[in-house]
Amino acid sequence: MPIPHTHPQNDDACTYDVIVIGGGPAGLAGAVTLGRARRTVLVVDAGTPRNAPAAGVHTFLTREGISPAELLRTGRAEVTAYGGEIREGTVTDARREGDAFRVTLADGTEERARRLLVTTGITDELPPVPGLAALWGKDVLHCPYCHGWEAQDLPTGVLATGPLSVHQALLWRQWTDDLTLFTHTTAGPTPEEREQLEARGTRIVEGEVTGVETDAEGRLAGVRLADGSTVPVRALATGGTLTARAGFLTGLGLETVPVEVGGTVIGSRLDTDPTGLTSVPGVWAAGNVASPTDQVVISAGAAVRAAAVLNMDLVTEETRLAVEARRAG
């Protein structure tokens, strides 16, 4: 592994070239990229990764099935090997201070940096059904590309939360032929959608879902309905609201925008250009906070791209200042 080194290009008025806010796969990938570019980097990580309940990370080439915790341990080691720093903490405020940024943590400490990379991710706001949260990421699932292989051929339910639930049911049918769509509190499928579901052998159960049943090992065993009946299922797919973790950015004037899929709002995100640059110069965002539906490998890749563009932005600034100094001398 490389040996950490000093970074002579760092502005003496700032402790760091870049503060990365969020230490998940996106944040760590961005920090490695910046460390390899010989930038001084601080990663501030609140320690609440979205995928912590999951048994493994999937579709991440050469890391297939790795536990989320192990992926983070490996990533942290790579960041520090390139001279980056990792600090556990929660950022509560970020503001511009001259040509730089001041970041405040929950413990009252402050740090300054020339640029910010926001990779704080999202939170999943689940339907208010008792028992769902305890099984989230285990037997209550959202992404078939993340969990479908492990749940293949199991009796599976889809808990409807809105118009996209039919799409979700049609997709999950790829992994099991024992599939039930629970209409829950929605209006249910249209006649055309009902025909599609029934043609694929998907059962449609009307009525509100009031809870889930578990077996002696604490695993999902069934879905309980308002009429008192229980439908046996071993996996349950649903969709919650995907809320960007970005409230600490209001001091910079950054607000989230709605995320729409097929005309349905499914959450919020930070708006960025294709490189991850936000509307505030000097602030980039990558990963689920900017694109909530991306998987781990895509989020990490987006952070690498954002970090590279951020580094070039610093190079451009340093070049301009060098030219001005030469002319003045």
Side-chain angles (χ1 to χ4, degrees):
M1 297 297 289
I3 299 174
H5 47 259
T6 58
H7 304 262
Q9 66 269 52
N10 186 40
D11 183 350
D12 290 339
C14 294
T15 309
Y16 301 97
D17 288 322
V18 185
I19 294 178
V20 179
I21 307 173
L28 296 176
V32 167
T33 304
L34 291 163
R36 286 179 55 82
R38 307 188 69 211
R39 296 296 179 184
T40 53
V41 181
L42 171 66
V43 178
V44 180
D45 182 23
T48 55
R50 180 192 182 198
N51 63 352
V57 173
H58 299 289
T59 69
F60 198 140
L61 192 63
T62 78
R63 293 294 180 265
E64 177 60 33
I66 188 174
S67 75
E70 179 61 25
L71 183 63
L72 295 184
R73 281 193 294 270
T74 303
R76 283 184 166 208
E78 292 173 356
V79 170
T80 56
Y82 285 107
E85 298 178 33
I86 308 286
R87 185 178 306 175
E88 294 186 3
T90 300
V91 172
T92 58
D93 187 55
R95 296 179 183 272
R96 185 176 291 282
E97 195 171 76
D99 293 332
F101 299 93
R102 173 170 50 83
V103 169
T104 304
L105 278 65
D107 63 5
T109 59
E110 296 182 344
E111 298 292 351
R112 296 181 75 249
R114 300 165 66 194
R115 302 291 188 272
L116 300 180
L117 175 58
V118 180
T119 56
T120 43
I122 58 174
T123 56
D124 296 276
E125 299 178 13
L126 299 177
V129 174
L132 282 189
L135 296 172
W136 181 244
K138 302 179 181 71
D139 300 321
V140 176
L141 314 168
H142 72 292
C143 170
Y145 298 104
C146 303
H147 305 286
W149 178 268
E150 287 68 34
Q152 64 180 299
D153 297 327
L154 292 178
T156 300
V158 174
L159 176 62
T161 58
L164 292 177
S165 297
V166 170
H167 165 80
Q168 192 175 29
L170 292 171
L171 183 59
W172 273 92
R173 177 62 179 80
Q174 174 64 24
W175 283 266
T176 180
D177 58 7
D178 189 347
L179 188 68
T180 303
L181 173 65
F182 297 94
T183 62
H184 190 38
T185 56
T186 70
T190 65
E192 180 182 3
E193 291 170 336
R194 185 176 293 270
E195 181 182 30
Q196 293 173 343
L197 292 165
E198 292 177 346
R200 293 280 283 162
T202 299
R203 293 180 295 276
I204 302 170
V205 173
E206 312 285 348
E208 183 177 356
V209 172
T210 58
V212 295
E213 302 286 349
T214 55
D215 60 20
E217 285 73 41
R219 303 302 299 266
L220 180 65
V223 168
R224 187 171 62 253
L225 300 173
D227 63 8
S229 64
T230 298
V231 178
V233 295
R234 302 297 295 181
L236 182 65
T238 191
T241 302
L242 311 177
T243 303
R245 297 172 173 171
F248 62 93
L249 295 171
T250 55
L252 287 170
L254 279 173
E255 303 287 347
T256 59
V257 296
V259 177
E260 291 190 16
V261 176
T264 299
V265 175
I266 63 169
S268 60
R269 65 178 177 86
L270 287 175
D271 194 24
T272 70
D273 74 4
T275 73
L277 180 63
T278 70
S279 60
V280 175
V283 180
W284 275 259
N288 286 154
V289 72
S291 187
T293 60
D294 284 349
Q295 291 179 267
V296 171
V297 67
I298 301 173
S299 293
V304 170
R305 178 177 57 217
V309 177
L310 186 160
N311 179 63
M312 191 62 215
D313 186 58
L314 286 171
V315 168
T316 301
E317 178 182 82
E318 290 156 359
T319 303
R320 175 180 59 79
L321 292 173
V323 169
E324 290 176 358
R326 180 176 182 180
R327 289 174 178 173

